[in-house]
Amino acid sequence: ADSAWSVEDILTEDDEQDRVPLQKLKLLGESEELRGLLLNPHLRQLLLTVDQAEDKSSLMKKYMQEPLFVEFADCCLRIVEPPEKENILPE
């Protein structure tokens, strides 16, 4: 029990604004679009490499130049932060 930790243990106050609520994270698992992207073996290898990397930050900068990775990141963002529906005229 002494070794148990929670997200609060690793997030600073500055990180809190970047935190995604659990209910929104669950939406990622329900997305057919995201599941489709994750079928791509190249994307899966990129994600594994990031997960295992010591310097995730610089690797992320590199991968954000990869169209496939950007497509994945954009898909995740659309799910957890849907775009505002502005400038849409009601019917």
Side-chain angles (χ1 to χ4, degrees), residues 2-16:
D2 290 339
S3 64
W5 58 273
S6 70
V7 173
E8 287 77 19
D9 294 332
I10 58 173
L11 286 182
T12 66
E13 198 170 302
D14 291 338
D15 296 327
E16 191 64 31

Side-chain angles (χ1 to χ4, degrees), residues 5-90:
W5 58 273
S6 70
V7 173
E8 287 77 19
D9 294 332
I10 58 173
L11 286 182
T12 66
E13 198 170 302
D14 291 338
D15 296 327
E16 191 64 31
Q17 68 186 12
D18 295 330
R19 186 173 174 183
V20 177
L22 187 58
Q23 67 194 38
K24 289 202 173 199
L25 287 177
K26 288 181 180 178
L27 294 175
L28 294 172
E30 298 168 4
S31 169
E32 291 299 322
E33 180 185 7
L34 188 56
R35 285 183 194 184
L37 288 174
L38 290 170
L39 291 174
N40 183 312
H42 180 59
L43 176 60
R44 292 167 74 112
Q45 185 57 55
L46 291 176
L47 294 172
L48 276 173
T49 303
V50 168
D51 185 53
Q52 296 168 354
E54 288 289 324
D55 186 5
K56 292 177 185 353
S57 180
S58 66
L59 193 58
M60 288 288 289
K61 287 178 186 166
K62 176 184 170 190
Y63 284 178
M64 286 308 286
Q65 305 304 310
E66 289 254 356
L68 179 61
F69 193 83
V70 172
E71 184 180 1
F72 166 76
D74 287 345
C75 180
C76 291
L77 287 173
R78 280 193 306 272
I79 294 166
V80 298
E81 279 187 9
E84 303 265 339
K85 291 186 169 60
E86 51 188 59
N87 301 326
I88 297 176
L89 296 172

